[in-house]
Amino acid sequence: MKKVVQDLTSGGIDWQREKWQSGLGSKFIHQGEKNAAKYADEVIVLSKGVQDYFKETYGRETHFIPNGVNRPEVRKAKLIRDNFGLEKDSYILFLGRLVPEKGIRYLVEAFKNVKTDKKLVIAGGSSDTDSFMEKLKELAKGDDRILFTGFVQGAMLDELYSNAYIYTLPSDLEGMPLSLLEAMSYGNCCLVSDIPECAEVVEDKALIFKKSDVEDLQEKLQDACDHPEMVMKMKNQATDFIYNNQKYNCSNCIHIVLDCCLCYLVLLCIA
């Protein structure tokens, strides 16, 4: 019987995440990855980086079907003004799970040395890493420009995306970052690390710094704060870039998945 299997590590090479390094978690997940590569009839991955990894590590061909996004409704600052005192273009935004591999430590360290009156908004929950969140807050102590909002969703999430000056994703490890696609769909200037999983999404339509390099990240942040015309140029091209790129169009992604599944349903019926 044919089985169409989506690679469960396609949000990143999951066994490499820091939270699994103690105990048996990393070994267990790694073995699951090996089993998928060996036994699954078909494997779907979300990024070229993970596709290359499966080819180079296991000699396994996979189907690359990335995440997709729909065109969002851009919202004016209301809830974020009432709750956090934020206005349009008054803050730099990180939005995601607060876990070590997202590179938030580098972001806080870099931002503390940036000369700007803009805030750094860190939005997201701890994802079973409360001790890491406490370390971040300790690192940010003494800089009242740094704001932790906690988990956000719905209209609050939309407003944060809609009114950011810059969206930044300084990750060490990613698969296919949906938050980056979402940020660009809202017309954001994005600043990302140079890992392939981020760089292949933004191409030349975003700012890029060297992974894990606090000094380079600080320089890129300072340059963006000092040159609003550059940021505006990036903003103006971000949305059209995502929607004119068929591989990130949500409807197109759904059709590709359905075509893949229907292909193997036909093979199953023939068999």
Side-chain angles (χ1 to χ4, degrees), residues 2-6 41-44 257 260-262 264-265:
K2 281 281 179 181
K3 303 172 287 296
V4 179
V5 179
Q6 179 168 357
D41 289 288
E42 302 298 332
V43 177
I44 297 172
V257 174
C260 182
C261 293
L262 286 172
Y264 291 102
L265 284 174

Side-chain angles (χ1 to χ4, degrees), residues 27-96:
K27 292 181 179 179
F28 183 81
I29 296 170
H30 198 184
Q31 185 59 49
E33 173 188 290
K34 293 176 181 178
N35 290 342
K38 185 175 182 179
Y39 297 114
D41 289 288
E42 302 298 332
V43 177
I44 297 172
V45 297
L46 300 183
S47 75
K48 289 289 188 182
V50 175
Q51 186 175 51
D52 291 344
Y53 169 80
F54 268 78
K55 180 64 175 177
E56 293 167 4
T57 305
Y58 304 109
R60 180 63 199 254
E61 298 291 345
T62 59
H63 297 277
F64 167 52
I65 306 177
N67 285 318
V69 289
N70 291 313
R71 190 178 292 272
E73 177 187 353
V74 176
R75 296 175 179 265
K76 294 183 178 180
K78 184 179 185 300
L79 293 174
I80 60 173
R81 179 191 298 122
D82 295 342
N83 286 272
F84 307 118
L86 299 173
E87 301 289 348
K88 184 170 180 58
D89 291 336
S90 69
Y91 60 95
I92 295 162
L93 176 66
F94 167 85
L95 196 152

Side-chain angles (χ1 to χ4, degrees), residues 16-269:
Q16 295 179 359
R17 298 188 189 279
E18 187 169 314
K19 68 178 180 178
W20 300 123
Q21 297 311 305
S22 60
L24 297 175
S26 179
K27 292 181 179 179
F28 183 81
I29 296 170
H30 198 184
Q31 185 59 49
E33 173 188 290
K34 293 176 181 178
N35 290 342
K38 185 175 182 179
Y39 297 114
D41 289 288
E42 302 298 332
V43 177
I44 297 172
V45 297
L46 300 183
S47 75
K48 289 289 188 182
V50 175
Q51 186 175 51
D52 291 344
Y53 169 80
F54 268 78
K55 180 64 175 177
E56 293 167 4
T57 305
Y58 304 109
R60 180 63 199 254
E61 298 291 345
T62 59
H63 297 277
F64 167 52
I65 306 177
N67 285 318
V69 289
N70 291 313
R71 190 178 292 272
E73 177 187 353
V74 176
R75 296 175 179 265
K76 294 183 178 180
K78 184 179 185 300
L79 293 174
I80 60 173
R81 179 191 298 122
D82 295 342
N83 286 272
F84 307 118
L86 299 173
E87 301 289 348
K88 184 170 180 58
D89 291 336
S90 69
Y91 60 95
I92 295 162
L93 176 66
F94 167 85
L95 196 152
R97 293 176 300 113
L98 304 191
V99 292
E101 61 265 21
K102 291 292 186 182
I104 316 166
R105 285 172 295 195
Y106 317 133
L107 178 59
V108 172
E109 290 175 16
F111 181 78
K112 289 176 72 173
N113 291 309
V114 174
K115 295 178 175 62
T116 181
D117 59 359
K118 296 187 186 300
K119 294 183 180 294
L120 172 61
V121 175
I122 299 176
S126 63
S127 185
D128 301 322
T129 52
D130 288 341
S131 61
F132 179 67
M133 179 182 281
E134 293 308 313
K135 290 178 182 177
L136 287 177
K137 289 182 176 179
E138 183 64 27
L139 183 62
K141 188 177 292 184
D143 192 331
D144 59 9
R145 300 173 302 167
I146 302 176
L147 169 66
F148 292 85
T149 68
F151 176 75
V152 293
Q153 61 183 341
M156 184 80 76
L157 176 67
D158 294 338
E159 286 190 19
L160 284 172
Y161 272 137
S162 297
N163 296 283
Y165 182 66
I166 293 171
Y167 172 83
T168 182
L169 188 63
S171 300
D172 287 333
L173 176 67
E174 285 288 349
M176 158 39 94
L178 181 58
S179 63
L180 180 55
L181 289 177
E182 290 175 336
M184 295 188 79
S185 75
Y186 278 87
N188 276 295
C189 171
C190 294
L191 170 59
V192 302
S193 61
D194 64 356
I195 61 174
E197 292 80 4
C198 288
E200 74 181 35
V201 172
V202 301
E203 298 182 10
D204 61 348
K205 302 299 188 295
L207 308 175
I208 299 176
F209 76 97
K210 297 174 186 175
K211 183 190 84 168
S212 309
D213 190 325
V214 174
E215 183 176 346
D216 191 39
L217 176 54
Q218 178 190 335
E219 289 177 2
K220 295 297 194 303
L221 285 168
Q222 189 67 65
D223 195 40
C225 289
D226 292 344
H227 297 93
E229 72 286 351
M230 174 185 67
V231 171
M232 186 56 63
K233 179 182 177 181
M234 292 290 184
K235 283 176 176 283
N236 289 338
Q237 63 187 6
T239 303
D240 287 341
F241 169 69
I242 289 297
Y243 287 105
N244 291 337
N245 193 329
Q246 285 298 306
K247 67 180 178 181
Y248 301 130
N249 182 286
C250 193
S251 297
N252 190 55
C253 292
I254 291 170
H255 285 307
I256 295 173
V257 174
L258 289 175
D259 288 345
C260 182
C261 293
L262 286 172
C263 174
Y264 291 102
L265 284 174
V266 170
L267 288 175
L268 177 60
C269 290

